[in-house]
Amino acid sequence: MTTTRPDAYTAIVEDLTYSYEGTFSRESVQLAVDQARQQLETVSTIPTFLPVLVAKDARERLSAAAQAEGRLTKKVPELLFVCVHNAGRSQMAAALAEHLSNGRVHVRSAGSRPSQELNPLVVQVLAERGISLTEAYPKPLTDSVTRAADVIITMGCGDACPVYPGRRYEDWKVPDPDGADLDTVRDIRDDLQARVTALLRDVLD
């Protein structure tokens, strides 16, 4: 049970209401914060950090919803990487895409059944490439995030990702790093880097 003071979440709602003034009502912002908090309270292991994660997740939810509804103009292509637990493959692919694109795409990742924490070997092998996952956490696949994406890459989640017209879909046959040894996870990282590099060349050309 969290010991965070309730006013921390009131401040989040106020900040986001100001940020999205003219785009979303306070009630819509409150709903996004409540949904983020409900989802993250079940997986957060450090209650002190929970408001920070809730604020970040709620902002992502609102941003995705605004893009999906045409209320916010997209400046760069939106990529979404999806796997079952959002703890390994999709996190690696998203981190690599963000790192390699140098801001030329916006990247999200999500899971059809997100786990409680990232795979520590995934964090390790990305750190070997100078990529930090200190602020990453498993996130659920939502309708707004899916609708906001221009390109959706799935990895082992089957039919969990809904299909919308006008989106580009790819399913990558990439092994799950869960339970794999360090060298295997490094191989998965290298495979994903090659795939992400090819995708970025295609999307950005």
Side-chain angles (χ1 to χ4, degrees):
M1 182 176 179
T2 181
T3 58
T4 305
R5 295 179 301 166
D7 62 351
Y9 298 100
T10 300
I12 292 170
V13 172
E14 290 175 351
D15 289 348
L16 291 175
T17 299
Y18 178 80
S19 296
Y20 287 94
E21 185 176 4
T23 303
F24 291 111
S25 66
R26 183 184 178 88
E27 290 74 21
S28 295
V29 172
Q30 181 72 61
L31 178 61
V33 172
D34 289 344
Q35 289 174 337
R37 183 179 180 182
Q38 182 179 14
Q39 199 275 322
L40 291 170
E41 276 185 332
T42 62
V43 299
S44 178
T45 56
I46 306 177
T48 306
F49 295 156
L50 184 60
V52 175
L53 295 178
V54 168
K56 183 177 180 180
D57 190 70
R59 186 176 292 276
E60 277 292 305
R61 289 170 184 261
L62 291 167
S63 174
Q67 290 170 341
E69 296 167 14
R71 302 185 188 190
L72 186 65
T73 303
K74 294 182 181 181
K75 297 180 180 179
V76 295
E78 295 279 336
L79 309 183
L80 174 63
F81 295 94
V82 184
C83 66
V84 176
H85 300 302
N86 192 217
R89 291 167 291 183
S90 57
Q91 290 282 357
M92 272 200 285
L96 287 163
E98 186 171 359
H99 178 73
L100 295 169
S101 69
N102 195 28
R104 291 177 293 164
V105 296
H106 185 264
V107 184
R108 293 186 173 98
S109 69
S112 51
R113 296 194 304 275
S115 63
Q116 291 190 331
E117 60 185 7
L118 301 185
N119 183 324
L121 291 184
V122 166
V123 176
Q124 180 177 338
V125 299
L126 285 176
E128 292 174 356
R129 293 291 173 87
I131 302 172
S132 173
L133 281 181
T134 54
E135 295 185 2
Y137 56 93
K139 300 171 292 297
L141 180 64
T142 64
D143 181 71
S144 60
V145 164
T146 306
R147 289 188 293 125
D150 298 302
V151 181
I152 300 169
I153 306 296
T154 58
M155 289 170 274
C157 59
D159 296 327
C161 189
V163 176
Y164 291 100
R167 275 69 175 174
R168 171 179 169 180
Y169 288 83
E170 292 186 17
D171 185 58
W172 289 355
K173 305 300 182 184
V174 179
D176 189 346
D178 185 31
D181 60 30
L182 182 59
D183 285 339
T184 301
V185 178
R186 285 179 176 136
D187 289 341
I188 295 170
R189 175 202 60 196
D190 294 344
D191 179 16
L192 283 170
Q193 179 162 335
R195 291 172 183 268
V196 166
T197 300
L199 175 66
L200 290 174
R201 285 175 178 159
D202 189 28
V203 168
L204 295 174
D205 283 349

